[in-house]
Amino acid sequence: AQLRERYSGYGRTGRGRGAGNAVQTGDWIPQRLLIPGISDPHLWMAKCVPGKERDIAFAAARRVFQWAGAGKFAGVHSVFSRDGLNGYIYVEARSLADAQAALEGIPGAFSFQMTLVPIDDMVDVVRIRKTETRLNPGAWVRIRRGNYAGDLAQVMAVIEASESVEVRMLPRIDYTAEGRSAKGTRPAQRLFSADEAQRIDPRGLSYRQNEMIWRGDRFVGGYLHKDVRIASLQTADVSPTLDEIARFAAGDAGENGDEQAAIAALASQAAAASIHAPKTSGIDLQPGEIVEVIEGDLAGVVGTIRSIDVDGTIRVAPELGGLKRGALMGFPASQLRKRFRTGDHVQVQSGRHRGATGMVLSVADAVVTLYTDVAKEEIRVLAKDIRISTEVSSAAAEGANTRIGLDVHDLVFLDGNRTALVMTSSRDILTVLDDRGESRKLPPSAVRPARATFERSGVDFNGNAIKRGDHVREVSGQTRSGSVLQVTRYVTFVMPRDGAPEAVFA
């Protein structure tokens, strides 16, 4: 009888915006369609010390639980914070006094500064927008932290039921007897050498099928293979340069392999295995450009882009005789790549040669070889980084050089925030020495001068401070010595004692 009396009205009335808004069983409303009303608890937002949001939420929750255990109900229903909003805490309570009581006295919480969240915005505050990062084998990523921070890596496999992927990268191993590099520097990237590893630590080297295990790390074909959490990877805006891809292709080419074919294969594979991002997948394609289908049943079809839909679908007018010329076909951007022919005049849109113009000499899959108008030299760029253009870069380069005003031995930044030293400066071309000790010729538009406020200090092998003008000597290798021209936290450019400009080293 008691149960019948208690649940006699169950299912016949529901929560409404007042006593007269009872909902009958026949008018049942799904829970997802119910929104807060004026008779429901309100949501209050309070300021707090940034970084203390979770601690304050837990402290307030413990206080509410203690009140409930003592039989005292303070009208507080929940306390929470949002990961993407620093410096704020939310309290769901019946009144402002109840919300302030939940936070009063908790270090870092400012209970006297509370704002009422409008009813229409309460649902948006607690709504979780899940953004799923999808990676395909072959996609390029970068390591976020550690000894390999900023290094390019390639996804080899996606580990199911886990937020991790297997990646391969070029190792950074110090094979010296001490096994450690100078403080503030990293070993150079190069393929794993079993001979040098055997010489340093023979007991730490073992073999397993086609893999080598050394000091707990796994190497396949000279590359370091690691299982890395996706959260530790940069998956968006990776944009590998052709130099990075060429350096990466050394292991795939082998001792007697075709390096050009390996570079082209890696570039094409990376373009086809890009991250699925519908809003940005077609960002480097424009109407009027000629493209080629690289995936699906229509692979090999060439056409002209007519339009790009809001959802990222590329509308292409095919140009093959077997298909009707006027019919438009839709493709996702991941199935297309730009198509160039020998003799086309193009301009580089991004990368280390940004701004350069020239004529196409050859096309190998996703790699295009150009003969530049200004430097009169052959360069290789990715097809996605260039566009048909009638402009000639000499005037632009001259203007850029005048605007930048770079002098010899100035510190500049290259693509990807790499540093370099200006060796020679002319109207149309710069010769720089990058932080890997490689000499390059670039248009002035491809570099950014370092600001006067940029930190120009570092430390030597013993931890002593280094500044411009100091005399230093290498502790390993060729043991060269000279005067410091420029110094950063990670690289030092040194002029040898003989003063020969071409002998400057990093």
Side-chain angles (χ1 to χ4, degrees):
Q2 293 179 353
L3 291 176
R4 186 181 301 108
E5 181 181 356
R6 176 177 297 180
Y7 297 104
S8 59
Y10 182 78
R12 288 200 290 269
T13 60
R15 183 180 60 180
R17 297 193 179 185
N21 292 339
V23 181
Q24 302 299 324
T25 305
D27 298 329
W28 178 80
I29 301 176
Q31 182 68 27
R32 61 185 177 85
L33 297 181
L34 294 176
I35 61 175
I38 58 175
S39 61
D40 295 315
H42 300 297
L43 192 62
W44 305 86
M45 181 175 67
K47 291 185 178 181
C48 66
V49 176
K52 297 292 185 179
E53 297 86 2
R54 284 178 173 268
D55 296 338
I56 296 173
F58 285 129
R62 286 193 295 267
R63 174 178 293 179
V64 173
F65 288 147
Q66 290 175 358
W67 288 344
K72 176 184 177 182
F73 177 68
V76 178
H77 293 264
S78 66
V79 182
F80 63 93
S81 64
R82 298 199 59 172
D83 291 339
L85 186 62
N86 296 329
Y88 290 94
I89 194 84
Y90 291 93
V91 180
E92 184 185 12
R94 288 287 179 182
S95 65
L96 174 60
D98 293 336
Q100 290 178 334
L103 299 181
E104 186 178 2
I106 297 179
F110 307 118
S111 58
F112 55 89
Q113 297 179 353
M114 303 197 76
T115 305
L116 178 64
V117 178
I119 294 177
D120 295 337
D121 296 338
M122 290 175 63
V123 176
D124 294 332
V125 170
V126 297
R127 179 179 288 121
I128 299 176
R129 296 177 177 87
K130 184 177 180 180
T131 56
E132 182 179 0
T133 302
R134 297 177 57 191
L135 293 175
N136 291 334
W140 294 116
V141 295
R142 292 191 188 275
I143 308 298
R144 288 187 181 272
R145 58 184 66 91
N147 190 43
Y148 293 90
D151 285 359
L152 188 68
Q154 189 177 31
V155 176
M156 301 305 295
V158 179
I159 303 176
E160 299 296 338
S162 173
E163 297 182 354
S164 302
V165 292
E166 179 188 348
V167 300
R168 69 169 183 171
M169 66 191 85
L170 289 174
R172 290 184 180 271
I173 301 177
D174 187 1
Y175 294 104
T176 60
E178 294 82 4
R180 62 187 182 97
S181 301
K183 186 177 181 180
T185 63
R186 296 188 298 175
Q189 287 182 305
R190 58 172 176 152
L191 296 173
F192 177 72
S193 173
D195 294 336
E196 296 190 46
Q198 181 76 21
R199 175 176 57 84
I200 297 300
D201 186 7
R203 294 185 178 181
L205 183 64
S206 61
Y207 296 86
R208 184 175 60 189
Q209 296 180 352
N210 63 333
E211 302 176 350
M212 287 183 288
I213 310 297
W214 190 62
R215 291 182 173 177
D217 290 329
R218 182 164 58 97
F219 301 90
V220 180
Y223 297 96
L224 172 63
H225 283 239
K226 275 183 173 292
D227 294 342
V228 184
R229 294 181 60 84
I230 297 178
S232 301
L233 300 174
Q234 176 188 342
T235 59
D237 300 326
V238 178
S239 301
T241 64
L242 189 59
D243 290 340
E244 289 178 313
I245 294 178
R247 193 180 305 111
F248 213 93
D252 292 338
E255 296 181 357
N256 300 318
D258 188 349
E259 182 180 358
Q260 300 298 329
I263 295 174
L266 272 180
S268 299
Q269 183 183 14
S274 58
I275 301 174
H276 294 275
K279 293 184 179 180
T280 59
S281 56
I283 194 170
D284 60 341
L285 297 176
Q286 292 185 357
E289 292 185 323
I290 300 176
V291 293
E292 178 184 1
V293 182
I294 58 176
E295 288 183 353
D297 297 335
L298 298 178
V301 172
V302 178
T304 303
I305 297 178
R306 296 303 184 192
S307 63
I308 302 178
D309 296 345
V310 177
D311 61 356
T313 302
I314 313 296
R315 300 295 175 182
V316 178
E319 298 179 354
L320 290 181
L323 297 175
K324 187 177 180 179
R325 183 180 295 272
L328 296 182
M329 307 182 67
F331 299 93
S334 60
Q335 294 185 359
L336 302 174
R337 73 178 174 202
K338 296 181 182 181
R339 175 71 177 265
F340 298 96
R341 300 180 177 88
T342 302
D344 287 344
H345 192 271
V346 298
Q347 183 181 38
V348 182
Q349 301 295 315
S350 60
R352 56 174 290 199
H353 298 291
R354 182 180 57 187
T357 60
M359 184 179 64
V360 175
L361 296 181
S362 62
V363 180
D365 292 331
V367 181
V368 179
T369 303
L370 309 179
Y371 186 76
T372 59
D373 298 324
V374 176
K376 306 300 181 183
E377 62 179 1
E378 293 185 10
I379 61 174
R380 292 182 304 170
V381 295
L382 296 175
K384 69 180 183 64
D385 295 335
I386 61 177
R387 182 165 292 142
I388 296 292
S389 174
T390 58
E391 298 179 4
V392 177
S393 63
S394 58
E398 179 179 355
N401 192 39
T402 303
R403 182 176 66 254
I404 295 176
L406 291 173
D407 295 326
V408 176
H409 297 164
D410 279 353
L411 188 67
V412 295
F413 290 103
L414 308 181
D415 185 54
N417 286 331
R418 295 181 54 188
T419 54
L421 185 73
V422 177
M423 302 302 297
T424 62
S425 176
S426 63
R427 186 183 65 179
D428 298 331
I429 202 72
L430 296 175
T431 302
V432 300
L433 181 71
D434 65 16
D435 48 16
R436 294 191 176 98
E438 301 175 356
S439 179
R440 301 184 182 183
K441 291 185 178 180
L442 303 172
S445 59
V447 303
R448 293 179 290 113
R451 296 180 181 179
T453 57
F454 179 73
E455 182 180 359
R456 302 169 190 257
S457 62
V459 294
D460 62 7
F461 182 80
N462 297 319
N464 300 318
I466 300 178
K467 62 181 183 298
R468 296 174 61 182
D470 288 349
H471 291 278
V472 296
R473 179 177 59 85
E474 288 182 308
V475 297
S476 60
Q478 304 179 31
T479 65
R480 296 169 292 185
S481 62
S483 177
V484 176
L485 295 175
Q486 296 285 356
V487 58
T488 70
R489 293 178 58 188
Y490 303 105
V491 64
T492 303
F493 296 96
V494 181
M495 169 69 78
R497 290 187 174 181
D498 56 15
E502 65 275 6
V504 174
F505 61 93

